[in-house]
Structures are given as structure tokens and as C-alpha cells.
Amino acid sequence: GAVYIVGAAGGTITASDGAVSLVIAANSLADNTVITVEPVTGEPAGDGVFIVGGAAYDFGPDGLSFSPPAQLTITYDEAQLPSVEERSLILLHFVNGNWHGVAGSAVNVQANTVTGPITGFSEYAVGTCECVASVEVTPLNATLVVGASEQFTATPRDASGTAMSGLFVEWDVDNASVATISEGGLLTALAPGNVGVMATVEGISRGVPVAVLSVAQVEVSPASATILVGATQQLTAIPEDNVGSPLTDADGNPLDLPVTWTSSDDAVAAVDATGLVSAVAP
């Protein structure tokens, strides 16, 4: 294996006689970091996974993460592709005991290389995989009020970005006192606060933030009205927090919450489901 030192300025590592190139962007690392590159042999591939011989490497320190991502290129030997379509090759990484495709990786059949963005160190290899590379969760940013529910969906995708179906999705939250989530992805808000919703498919996870708000008071506009018999007046209701600020979503837009309108005396004035008041009698 080989040892390299890369600092906050970033840099390019070339290892294994040029078979491996790792480009680390500036500010991906906070300090000088000792990085190792070690060829891997005999690693079991697993079901639906093919690893090109001589194109697997262990990068250390294990668990080191990058932001922005680093760009990894691994060269492969065409002679190690007895029955594999060369254009189907992708970059693989070993996560949670399984090989997974790297989203956004691409093969160059002229140069015999596969390149892809990586966000952390583990084992990487060139190969093929009928496996999950990323998980897309919707909605990305949700804002709920206490007592409300929101259905979340997860779409696993392979390294080419194609959606995969029929896979089990495990749902979880990082703060069960704020919200809980069912096995089917239905989130129920319990108390004001922030909570992360996590979807995991075959060891690949994606988390999204959720804000839970509480309606402390409601402002009705206009605050009072005088209406002639037979006339109408439109009222609006604005839910507010405990300091009188309108409740908004993550983008600052007013929350569209259901409002129930009632009249204390329908014989004098009636109100419909939209807040339109109709004057009936003095």
C-alpha cells in the first residue's frame, strides 16, 4: 500500500502505478490527513455483484468523509471481463457489509477507467451491481403542526439513477418525542420541535428534516365587521405561534392549514367552509 498526506488545500493522489487517482477538493479536509491506499484481493462480491479482478482498493482512514465530494478514478483490465458488458461497469463501495453502486459514476471504455464522486473512505472497486446506490425521499422539507400527519415516500435508485422497485424500506426518526413514523412511512407529529426522517434501503440511507409547529393562537381578519342584511363579508384566519408570528414552512410560505368556521347564531349570520359570512337578520 501507499501513504499520502493531503491538507485543506486539497490535492490529487495517484497510487498503484497510476491505476488509482483521487482528486480531493479544497476545503474537503480541515487539516493535514494521512491517507492510505491498499489493493484488496479476495473480497467476496455477494449476490448480483461482480468485481473486476485487480480493481479493488481499500482507502483509509476508514470512515473519513468529504464535503465537497472527492473524485475517484480506478483503472481496470479488459482481460478481467470474461462475460460482463464493459459499458455496464460502475464504481462500487463497501458499506454496512455489502457492495453498493456509487451514484453518478461513469465508465470510459477507451481509457478503461471508471470515475465517480465519493463522500467517504471505505473499500472501492470497479464492477457491476444490481443494487441500490442512492435513496430519494419526498417531501424533502416538511412542516407539520402538532397532531397532523404526512406521508413520506422513498425511491431507491441504482448507480445510473434508474428507480428500483420491490425493495423493502426501513423508516426511522431521530427524535421520537417530536414525531413517530409507521412502517409505511406515515409521519405523525407529536410535539413542537425538529426531527429527522430516515429511509434505509439495503444499507443505503437518506435523511430529510421535518419541523413540527404548534398553533398557539389564530388571528381573524377583519377583527370585527358590520354587515347589512343580505350582504356578505369574507373572513380570513391566520394561525400563529405563541409570540403572534404567522406559522410558515421551511421556505417562509404561510402554512395552508385546514380551518373550521362556525357561527354562534346562524339566525343572524351564517358562515361557510371558506369563511364567507352571510348576514341573515339584524
Side-chain angles (χ1 to χ4, degrees):
V3 177
Y4 307 86
I5 298 178
V6 178
T12 299
I13 291 174
T14 302
S16 293
D17 296 328
V20 174
S21 173
L22 180 66
V23 180
I24 301 176
N27 301 317
S28 286
L29 300 173
D31 303 302
N32 286 345
T33 304
V34 176
I35 296 175
T36 60
V37 182
E38 186 80 30
V40 176
T41 58
E43 185 68 59
D47 295 337
V49 179
F50 168 77
I51 298 176
V52 178
Y57 299 88
D58 186 11
F59 295 82
D62 189 43
L64 178 69
S65 60
F66 301 106
S67 181
Q71 201 74 7
L72 174 62
T73 300
I74 298 179
T75 302
Y76 62 89
D77 182 1
E78 285 185 79
Q80 299 294 326
L81 308 175
S83 60
V84 173
E85 172 58 46
E86 189 173 1
R87 294 189 179 277
S88 67
L89 293 175
I90 59 174
L91 201 62
L92 303 174
H93 67 142
F94 199 66
V95 180
N96 297 328
N98 295 290
W99 286 99
H100 296 279
V102 173
S105 63
V107 61
N108 184 329
V109 295
Q110 284 75 37
N112 292 345
T113 60
V114 177
T115 301
I118 67 172
T119 57
F121 273 166
S122 64
E123 293 182 19
Y124 287 86
V126 172
T128 62
C129 181
E130 300 173 6
C131 54
V132 177
S134 62
V135 179
E136 178 183 296
V137 177
T138 55
L140 282 175
N141 288 289
T143 303
L144 288 74
V145 296
V146 173
S149 297
E150 179 80 31
Q151 180 64 55
F152 283 79
T153 61
T155 303
R157 298 184 182 276
D158 62 20
S160 67
T162 302
M164 306 173 69
S165 60
L167 300 177
F168 175 74
V169 179
E170 180 182 355
W171 292 98
D172 198 7
V173 293
D174 63 5
N175 193 343
S177 64
V178 173
T180 59
I181 194 164
S182 71
E183 292 183 356
L186 182 64
L187 185 78
T188 301
L190 303 179
N194 296 308
V195 61
V197 174
M198 184 77 69
T200 302
V201 183
E202 292 187 349
I204 299 297
S205 299
R206 173 65 188 276
V208 295
V210 176
V212 178
L213 307 176
S214 177
V215 179
Q217 59 193 36
V218 179
E219 178 184 345
V220 177
S221 179
S224 63
T226 301
I227 315 172
L228 293 174
V229 172
T232 60
Q233 173 71 54
Q234 180 65 56
L235 303 180
T236 59
I238 303 174
E240 298 177 335
D241 60 20
N242 56 2
V243 295
S245 298
L247 299 181
T248 60
D249 62 19
D251 297 321
N253 301 312
L255 286 185
D256 184 15
L257 301 177
V259 179
T260 301
W261 293 93
T262 59
S263 170
S264 63
D265 192 344
D266 288 329
V268 174
V271 63
D272 68 9
T274 68
L276 182 65
V277 178
S278 298
V280 178

